[in-house]
Amino acid sequence: MGQIISNNTGWLLSQWAKWAKQGRCTPNGFGESPMFKELPEQEAKPNLLITDDEAMLIDSIIAKLKIRDREMAKALVVFYFSDGNASHVARVLSAQSEQKINRKRADVLVKAGTAWVDAVLFMGIVV
């Protein structure tokens, strides 16, 4: 595993979301979400500051998180794909769950998921 360009995990996850929105891969099986299908084709492609290898590393870490805690992985993906909107995460998770997820719980899930990704990156664990 090469040196990753940033030690700011939130920034890396934001860059990963931009990378995934460009259709470089179907991120962790969440690509079937209506959120991905609603992206206009003419939308300006953002300049990426993350390499494909780095983005694929983040993608594989999120895929591992999805196996370990599906709800946390979903919260993380929805959060970064909605440009950091925890209220949107709460609505999406509530719609897909039998129980209501409030904004505070959504925020905790995102923070825990980000910390989990950060720990995997920091420990240098190959996933």
Side-chain angles (χ1 to χ4, degrees):
M1 175 170 71
Q3 180 69 25
I4 206 139
I5 62 173
S6 174
N7 62 355
N8 182 332
T9 305
W11 180 86
L12 286 169
L13 287 163
S14 294
Q15 287 295 305
W16 165 82
K18 290 176 185 178
W19 174 83
K21 284 180 189 179
Q22 288 187 7
R24 306 247 176 149
C25 80
T26 301
N28 307 309
F30 291 117
E32 297 305 312
S33 166
M35 179 172 43
F36 290 89
K37 295 184 183 336
E38 293 172 5
L39 294 173
E41 291 297 319
Q42 286 78 19
E43 181 177 299
K45 304 278 186 186
N47 289 333
L48 295 178
L49 301 173
I50 189 171
T51 67
D52 282 345
D53 288 342
E54 291 164 338
M56 287 188 292
L57 173 63
I58 298 297
D59 197 66
S60 67
I61 292 170
I62 295 171
K64 185 68 86 175
L65 176 59
K66 181 181 171 186
I67 293 167
R68 192 160 174 83
D69 189 322
R70 187 171 190 82
E71 183 182 44
M72 189 182 297
K74 180 69 175 185
L76 193 66
V77 169
V78 172
F79 181 81
Y80 284 100
F81 267 78
S82 65
D83 297 321
N85 187 333
S87 295
H88 178 70
V89 173
R91 286 190 302 273
V92 169
L93 292 180
S94 291
Q96 298 175 353
S97 173
E98 295 176 10
Q99 60 185 5
K100 180 163 174 33
I101 306 293
N102 63 31
R103 188 192 180 288
K104 186 175 180 178
R105 171 145 172 84
D107 194 45
V108 167
L109 286 168
V110 170
K111 286 179 180 174
T114 302
W116 195 89
V117 170
D118 184 64
V120 172
L121 287 170
F122 178 75
M123 298 299 291
I125 299 168
V126 179
V127 290

